[in-house]
Amino acid sequence: MADLDDRLDRLIADTGHMTPAVAKAFRAVPRHLFVPPVAVACPQNRYGTAYGVDRDADPGEWWDAVYSDTGLVTQLDDGATAISDVVGPDGEVDLAKVGGYTSSSSAPTVVAYFLRHLDAAPGHRTLEIGTGTGWTAALLAHLVGDQNVTSVEVDAAIAAQAAKHLGEAGVQPHLVVGDGADGCPERAPYDRVHVTCGIRAVPYAWVEQSRPGAVIALPYQPGFGVGYALRLTVAPDGNAYGRIGREVDYMLMRAQRPPELQPADPAQARDFTTRIDPRLIARVPGGADLVISALTGLRCYSHQGEDYQRVWVINDSGEGVSWAAATWEADQEEYEGYQIGDRPVWEEVVDAYFRWVSWGEPGQDRFGMTVTPEGQQLWLDSPEHVIG
């Protein structure tokens, strides 16, 4: 199919981090075999813009989206909302009807980046966490051999669709429906672990089920700020060590999703003012977000209106919910906020930010992580310099 060959040539040429082995895998298992007829496209170069693509209504647009550096959302609200119900005839997505994006086919550049850093070779026994559409499972199967891939998916409906896609593509990895945090001990030990969902706390099971020298590649979503690629290597001492890489944005593993923020009784709120511009907290640079997450365990999100920006800082660690919100408005010397609960979360975040400043504002590439049976530790420059 000449048109498909041309599309693959352009995609491979335009996709960064493409090694010869990964490029060969991209050709062997074309992406379109794993994309449903209707999806929501989230282009890398059009931040905040999403649009629907429908293979039957506009096949040209669908093919263009599939063979571009575009993330394609394939499930909404854990399957409770059909994508066709939120996409209008003009392709516009009615976000008011969407609770959340819950499964996708990641943008090819990000897929190639993780596969490059995974460095999987023929014969490597590989565990994939999050089968999704099945595309990365198929790519892994091409790299290491079908019989060496074990892919775990928590959502039975997604797993069934992935099995169908893989069968039609002639690929036969070992598929498991279950919680990816548990790994798959009966197929261990693994040489590679490839994770396709965001992780706040790295499950030690993945380290325990890997042989010394194994590589674990995952999207680390610390909860504050953006997410990052993390490449860990398992050591003979039973720990895993690795460094933070480029920014990535993945949907969180379902078992690690934070609880929804519940409405609070206004009578319980404590008002405060701050001289810190709330936008500073909403937009902390790479490195600062890692330090804030490690020191506080808090998460953050914000909403920007036409002439204001509100920032929430939230503790949902199980110690009793506390959260604070502060609002930026133009021409203010101090900004108004309010606090729910006893923990001074706003002050903690501000203190952690300025501690990062006092260290010389190190970027994310200077940070790394150690994973042990007791948990994970973020460090600066070397494992001896633990943050916390």
Side-chain angles (χ1 to χ4, degrees):
M1 180 178 176
D3 185 50
L4 176 58
D5 289 340
D6 290 343
R7 289 181 183 275
L8 281 166
D9 287 342
R10 289 195 298 270
L11 179 66
I12 290 168
D14 293 343
T15 299
H17 317 291
M18 189 75 75
T19 66
V22 172
K24 188 175 179 181
F26 268 54
R27 293 186 186 281
V29 282
R31 191 187 189 198
H32 73 272
L33 300 176
F34 300 87
V35 177
V38 181
V40 174
C42 300
Q44 298 283 293
N45 59 351
R46 290 168 57 188
Y47 182 76
T49 300
Y51 62 95
V53 291
D54 186 321
R55 188 177 62 195
D56 296 328
D58 191 338
E61 185 175 51
W62 185 88
W63 280 92
D64 288 346
V66 170
Y67 285 102
S68 65
D69 194 26
T70 299
L72 296 168
V73 176
T74 56
Q75 188 197 64
L76 303 174
D77 305 329
D78 295 335
T81 303
I83 292 178
S84 57
D85 290 343
V86 304
V87 175
D90 58 355
E92 186 172 338
V93 179
D94 188 348
L95 295 176
K97 297 180 179 179
V98 179
Y101 297 158
T102 52
S103 190
S104 70
S105 173
S106 298
T109 290
V110 180
V111 172
Y113 175 90
F114 272 106
L115 291 176
R116 175 181 179 179
H117 287 273
L118 191 71
D119 193 25
H124 276 152
R125 191 175 296 176
T126 302
L127 172 65
E128 181 185 43
I129 307 300
T131 311
T133 65
W135 185 41
T136 53
L139 294 170
L140 289 167
H142 186 79
L143 291 168
V144 305
D146 294 38
Q147 72 279 8
N148 292 313
V149 176
T150 300
S151 186
V152 183
E153 172 58 53
V154 70
D155 187 306
I158 289 177
Q161 191 63 43
K164 179 175 181 292
H165 291 157
L166 288 159
E168 291 171 348
V171 185
Q172 295 181 317
H174 182 76
L175 302 179
V176 177
V177 178
D179 186 348
D182 299 329
C184 186
E186 60 270 26
R187 300 268 293 177
Y190 299 104
D191 301 288
R192 297 290 187 269
V193 179
H194 181 266
V195 184
T196 68
C197 52
I199 302 299
R200 288 185 72 176
V202 180
Y204 184 71
W206 302 343
V207 180
E208 192 172 35
Q209 293 170 26
S210 298
R211 71 174 80 247
V215 172
I216 304 172
L218 62 98
Y220 175 50
Q221 308 279 145
F224 207 102
V226 300
Y228 298 99
L230 173 62
R231 185 183 191 271
L232 299 165
T233 300
V234 177
D237 63 6
N239 300 330
Y241 306 86
R243 285 194 171 270
I244 302 293
R246 62 165 280 180
E247 291 185 11
V248 294
D249 185 23
Y250 274 70
M251 301 162 192
L252 274 174
M253 173 180 275
R254 293 192 184 183
Q256 296 190 9
R257 288 178 186 169
E260 290 187 14
L261 187 61
Q262 298 300 312
D265 181 353
Q268 296 178 341
R270 173 175 59 83
D271 294 334
F272 68 90
T273 59
T274 178
R275 294 179 62 200
I276 303 299
D277 186 334
R279 297 175 300 175
L280 177 70
I281 302 303
R283 305 172 187 172
V284 291
D289 51 357
L290 294 168
V291 170
I292 293 170
S293 293
L295 292 178
T296 71
L298 301 171
R299 63 184 177 95
C300 172
Y301 71 94
S302 69
H303 173 74
Q304 186 164 353
E306 198 167 305
D307 54 2
Y308 75 94
Q309 185 165 359
R310 184 163 295 126
V311 181
W312 288 264
V313 174
I314 305 160
N315 164 46
D316 52 25
S317 62
E319 306 164 1
V321 175
S322 295
W323 54 274
T327 303
W328 171 85
E329 293 178 295
D331 303 321
Q332 300 294 309
E333 292 187 9
E334 292 190 329
Y335 304 96
E336 295 182 351
Y338 60 93
Q339 163 89 32
I340 300 294
D342 297 328
R343 183 175 169 182
V345 293
W346 183 261
E347 291 84 351
E348 286 186 37
V349 165
V350 170
D351 289 347
Y353 172 79
F354 283 104
R355 190 183 301 190
W356 171 78
V357 170
S358 74
W359 295 341
E361 303 186 1
Q364 80 264 14
D365 58 333
R366 288 182 57 190
F367 290 90
M369 182 179 289
T370 300
V371 180
T372 73
E374 289 73 37
Q376 64 191 39
Q377 296 176 324
L378 185 78
W379 41 261
L380 176 62
D381 294 329
S382 72
E384 293 77 28
H385 300 148
V386 174
I387 306 300

